[in-house]
Amino acid sequence: MAHPKRRHSTSRRDSRRAHDFLTGKQLGTDSSTGEIHQLHRAHVHEGNLVYRGKVVVENYTKTV
């Protein structure tokens, strides 16, 4: 079995373990469109960009 040459600090150990407790993204449904989307994010519905039930941009096209 392999043994470490030097002891790892508790902060190094805890930083590594921090990724074990990640959770999934929070999802919600828009009250006006009924579409499921990520919370606090705008989403596209029928070609329009919608945020909190209001159309923000009409005829939205994603630019790279």
Side-chain angles (χ1 to χ4, degrees):
M1 280 177 62
H3 294 287
K5 192 168 189 174
R6 298 269 188 263
R7 180 179 175 172
H8 286 267
S9 67
T10 55
S11 63
R12 180 182 287 265
R13 177 200 65 200
D14 293 342
S15 295
R16 183 186 69 244
R17 290 180 181 174
H19 298 286
D20 296 340
F21 300 104
L22 294 176
T23 58
K25 298 180 190 294
Q26 293 291 322
L27 298 177
T29 56
D30 193 344
S31 58
S32 63
T33 63
E35 187 165 335
I36 297 174
H37 64 93
Q38 191 175 351
L39 289 178
H40 304 289
R41 302 288 193 280
H43 62 280
V44 177
H45 178 71
E46 296 178 356
N48 299 327
L49 191 65
V50 180
Y51 181 68
R52 298 184 70 178
K54 298 177 182 141
V55 176
V56 180
V57 178
E58 292 184 3
N59 299 326
Y60 175 76
T61 56
K62 186 175 181 180
T63 57
V64 177

